Amino acid sequence: MISNKKWFLLLLACFGIFAHVYWHFRATQNQRNNATLFHEAFILNSSQIASLEEPELETFFMVICIPSLPRSTDQRNAIRSTWLNLTRWNELRGDPVTDERSRAVKMMFILGREEGREMSEELKDEILTHNDIYLVPQLREHREVLKYKTLWGLRHSLNIANFFFFVKTDQDVLVNFPALLAGLRALPRARVYTGRCVNLWGGWGGYPAFPYCSGGGYVLSRDVVEGVVGLPEEVHKVTFRPEDGYVGWLVYNLNTRTNSTEVNARNRAVLRLSQYSCGPMLEWFYHRINTPEIMNSFFDRVNSNDTVPCET
């Protein structure tokens, strides 16, 4: 005869299995819904664009894409007032081409729709004030949607601008703009996929192993953006979640499905993840700067170019 304790443990185990299956189903369903809505949105946008005369696009040196949340207005304002405000950088101040550099940057904050939330008055004011918010209501905010926000940004950048480089970073990253600008100007204008590219993705679930660049900050040249956007739909729809691995997957398919010169994930020491208290500030991207207060104080530190020796 089974004791009450054993019955309880058996029921608890059954509940755990049920909960795991349920939440896996919900996550998978959300991902499928986002993927379906994304592609429906793209088809609609493509048909609308095809019916219009091709507009004359403004030329930028780079497009910077940041997936963001509708409620993150304060963090976006901190970005706009610190590293994105090129007039605040000491290294660029007094340079006669500073204004030209400012015009050479197109900013894209990619936002989805938050389930059950109305658009806040704060966000409405932000959209009216700044020309850098791209709200994609077909995409529901969920951890699975980040890769589709990035793909939307890749596609839409081609519709709104001529540019040399596409820079993807995050809202909790401080970009060392003078270092990024100098680094990009030293790069070739084609076949570029670079950043902190030290990891492999895949090797399981039928996916081959391929290198990718960490999502805190990576760079694609325009020809690579055009190539990955033009890949077939079955390549764009995948089951795994990480956005940086997803872009690595797109570049891998660009290499294997076309006859063009191979694009290599070129690793550079351009993303710092920790140990901010010492050493020179030479990297392009600094991750985990996750509040406006930290963004402002850390910007002052990087902008002053004060070097604190690290203890050995």
Side-chain angles (χ1 to χ4, degrees):
M1 185 173 180
I2 302 178
S3 67
N4 289 338
K5 183 177 180 180
K6 289 183 177 179
W7 274 115
F8 174 76
L9 293 174
L10 180 61
L11 289 172
L12 188 63
C14 290
F15 176 78
I17 293 171
F18 171 79
H20 174 77
V21 172
Y22 173 77
W23 286 113
H24 176 75
F25 170 79
R26 283 291 301 275
T28 303
Q29 192 63 36
N30 275 327
Q31 179 171 336
R32 288 174 178 168
N33 289 342
N34 272 320
T36 301
L37 287 169
F38 174 83
H39 287 282
E40 288 176 353
F42 178 65
I43 290 169
L44 175 62
N45 289 340
S46 297
S47 63
Q48 291 172 339
I49 292 168
S51 66
L52 301 173
E53 292 185 9
E54 185 172 337
E56 184 176 346
L57 302 180
E58 190 173 354
T59 298
F60 298 89
F61 184 67
M62 72 181 85
V63 170
I64 301 177
C65 174
I66 298 183
S68 185
L69 293 171
R71 58 181 179 270
S72 298
T73 294
D74 288 346
Q75 187 73 0
R76 289 190 291 273
N77 282 336
I79 289 171
R80 295 184 185 106
S81 67
T82 56
W83 63 261
L84 191 57
N85 182 356
L86 304 195
T87 62
R88 289 195 62 187
W89 286 101
N90 293 333
E91 194 170 332
L92 302 179
R93 188 173 298 160
D95 190 323
V97 298
T98 295
D99 289 339
E100 177 186 339
R101 288 171 176 166
S102 298
R103 290 193 299 269
V105 180
K106 175 61 180 173
M107 190 70 193
M108 298 176 68
F109 290 106
I110 313 297
L111 282 59
R113 172 173 57 85
E114 291 187 293
E115 197 76 39
R117 287 175 178 247
E118 296 293 329
M119 186 187 297
S120 68
E121 293 301 318
E122 185 179 41
L123 179 56
K124 291 177 183 177
D125 290 342
E126 184 184 6
I127 292 172
L128 291 173
T129 304
H130 301 282
N131 187 31
D132 56 14
I133 297 290
Y134 294 84
L135 185 61
V136 190
Q138 295 90 348
L139 292 179
R140 286 190 290 269
E141 290 292 355
H142 186 270
R143 64 179 183 175
E144 303 287 351
V145 81
L146 183 56
K147 63 177 179 282
Y148 292 119
K149 280 186 176 181
T150 303
L151 181 56
W152 191 94
L154 288 164
R155 282 175 161 162
H156 197 63
S157 69
L158 299 173
N159 295 330
I160 63 173
N162 287 317
F163 58 90
F164 294 112
F165 297 108
F166 180 95
V167 180
K168 186 272 166 184
T169 186
D170 292 325
Q171 67 177 26
D172 63 343
V173 169
L174 185 141
V175 177
N176 184 347
F177 201 89
L180 173 66
L181 193 59
L184 294 187
R185 286 181 168 170
L187 290 178
R189 296 292 187 265
R191 319 309 292 167
V192 172
Y193 173 43
T194 190
R196 185 178 182 269
C197 314
V198 297
N199 300 312
L200 289 178
W201 187 262
W204 47 265
Y207 292 104
F210 51 85
Y212 70 93
C213 303
S214 297
Y218 55 81
V219 177
L220 303 169
S221 53
R222 183 185 175 94
D223 62 314
V224 177
V225 174
E226 292 171 342
V228 299
V229 164
L231 290 168
E233 183 175 325
E234 63 267 21
V235 175
H236 290 160
K237 283 188 175 182
V238 295
T239 57
F240 59 82
R241 177 171 62 87
E243 155 268 325
D244 46 10
Y246 178 68
V247 173
W249 161 254
L250 297 180
V251 173
Y252 167 83
N253 277 272
L254 179 63
N255 287 332
T256 58
R257 291 170 177 260
T258 65
N259 295 322
S260 57
T261 305
E262 185 172 355
V263 178
N264 294 312
R266 184 173 179 183
N267 181 49
R268 298 173 185 273
V270 296
L271 172 64
R272 194 188 293 196
L273 302 174
S274 61
Q275 295 181 338
Y276 296 151
S277 60
C278 65
M281 296 295 178
L282 303 176
E283 290 83 4
W284 299 354
F285 308 103
Y286 296 87
H287 210 177
R288 299 167 186 159
I289 312 299
N290 49 20
T291 69
E293 294 75 22
I294 298 174
M295 183 72 72
N296 279 283
S297 62
F298 192 66
F299 171 78
D300 291 338
R301 162 91 188 283
V302 176
N303 194 29
S304 66
N305 206 23
D306 289 337
T307 300
V308 178
C310 294
E311 295 182 1
T312 56

